[in-house]
Amino acid sequence: MSRRRTLGPKKKIALLLSAVTVAGGGAFVMASTSNASQAPTTKSAADSTVCQGLATALGNNQKFIEGQRTNPDAQSEARIANREAVIAQIELQQKASGCTVGESAQDSQPAQPEQPEQPAQPQQPAPEEQAGGGDAAQNPGGGAAASGEQVCNGSTITLSGEDGAPAASSNQFPAGTRLKVTNLDNNKSTTVEVTGVSGSCALLNNAAFEQVREPGKFLIRRALIEKVG
């Protein structure tokens, strides 16, 4: 007769605990692997046009603050506080867009020397301009940019992060100057007044940028900027 081998209660408990331990370890490894595969990736300015635009906006504001600290005046403290708040808002946008928070890329340009006239691609002049009227005819070539002349050649356009009515800031044109900015990728344009100083030839605030932007983009690579007043 064959004898059946039976396990004692202690051995049964030991085997059960071993099985639970193995199963638990496997579940932990699977969960860890799953979490690692689902971890969000952070993009840099080189990976995304959105991230590049935000990094440029942040860098321009940082450069402006640096300039105010280097050459302060009575209003510098208030301007710096305002720009620091703008930087904080840009960093929130970077986080929400999956970009590297705090990444900075300055896109400012120094004042440009006078350049020889290029073959123009102007819009059809108004009748009074054809007859000899208009600012360009009355001031044919001296010093400052004439009204309607293309300026900031080669500049890209981004936003300052500031709220308020559509406006611009510039490191080349004084307050009160009127600039027409056209996004050549969608042919949208806006005419704004320069209200302050920035680290770029032309930097649009939020409202002005919204009028010419493409959805989801924070940088305009192909822009036409004209001084119109």
Side-chain angles (χ1 to χ4, degrees):
M1 292 178 62
S2 61
R3 298 178 61 187
R4 281 188 171 178
R5 296 182 62 189
T6 58
L7 298 177
K10 291 184 178 180
K11 287 188 177 182
K12 288 183 179 179
I13 293 173
L15 287 173
L16 181 60
L17 290 175
S18 297
V20 171
T21 301
V22 170
F28 176 77
V29 170
M30 291 177 63
S32 299
T33 305
S34 175
N35 289 337
S37 64
Q38 294 176 4
T41 56
T42 302
K43 295 173 288 187
S44 69
D47 302 325
S48 163
T49 302
V50 170
C51 295
Q52 184 178 12
L54 290 171
T56 300
L58 192 147
N60 286 337
N61 280 284
Q62 289 175 331
K63 184 167 185 177
F64 177 82
I65 290 173
E66 180 183 340
Q68 290 293 308
R69 286 175 174 159
T70 302
N71 299 297
D73 60 28
Q75 300 299 321
S76 290
E77 186 175 343
R79 294 191 192 109
I80 289 172
N82 176 266
R83 291 305 176 99
E84 286 176 340
V86 169
I87 287 174
Q89 182 62 34
I90 292 172
E91 288 177 341
L92 289 176
Q93 291 176 323
Q94 286 178 321
K95 183 177 180 180
S97 301
C99 305
T100 302
V101 176
E103 184 178 16
S104 170
Q106 294 182 1
D107 186 45
S108 59
Q109 299 182 355
Q112 300 171 346
E114 285 189 21
Q115 300 176 352
E117 277 190 36
Q118 301 176 351
Q121 304 174 356
Q123 300 175 354
Q124 187 67 26
E128 59 268 26
E129 291 176 343
Q130 293 177 345
D135 295 335
Q138 294 175 6
N139 184 15
S147 179
E149 180 181 344
Q150 182 176 347
V151 294
C152 308
N153 294 335
S155 292
T156 56
I157 300 292
T158 186
L159 72 166
S160 66
E162 295 179 301
D163 295 323
S169 53
S170 173
N171 65 356
Q172 293 191 34
F173 300 104
T177 304
R178 292 180 62 78
L179 300 176
K180 179 180 180 181
V181 179
T182 302
N183 182 347
L184 298 177
D185 289 326
N186 59 12
N187 291 321
K188 291 183 178 180
S189 63
T190 182
T191 300
V192 292
E193 183 175 314
V194 174
T195 58
V197 181
S198 70
S200 298
C201 181
L203 187 65
L204 301 179
N205 70 356
N206 292 351
F209 193 82
E210 283 295 331
Q211 293 178 343
V212 294
R213 73 182 294 182
E214 292 183 274
K217 294 187 177 181
F218 293 89
L219 180 69
I220 300 173
R221 294 180 181 277
R222 297 177 62 246
L224 173 65
I225 306 172
E226 299 168 277
K227 178 179 178 291
V228 295

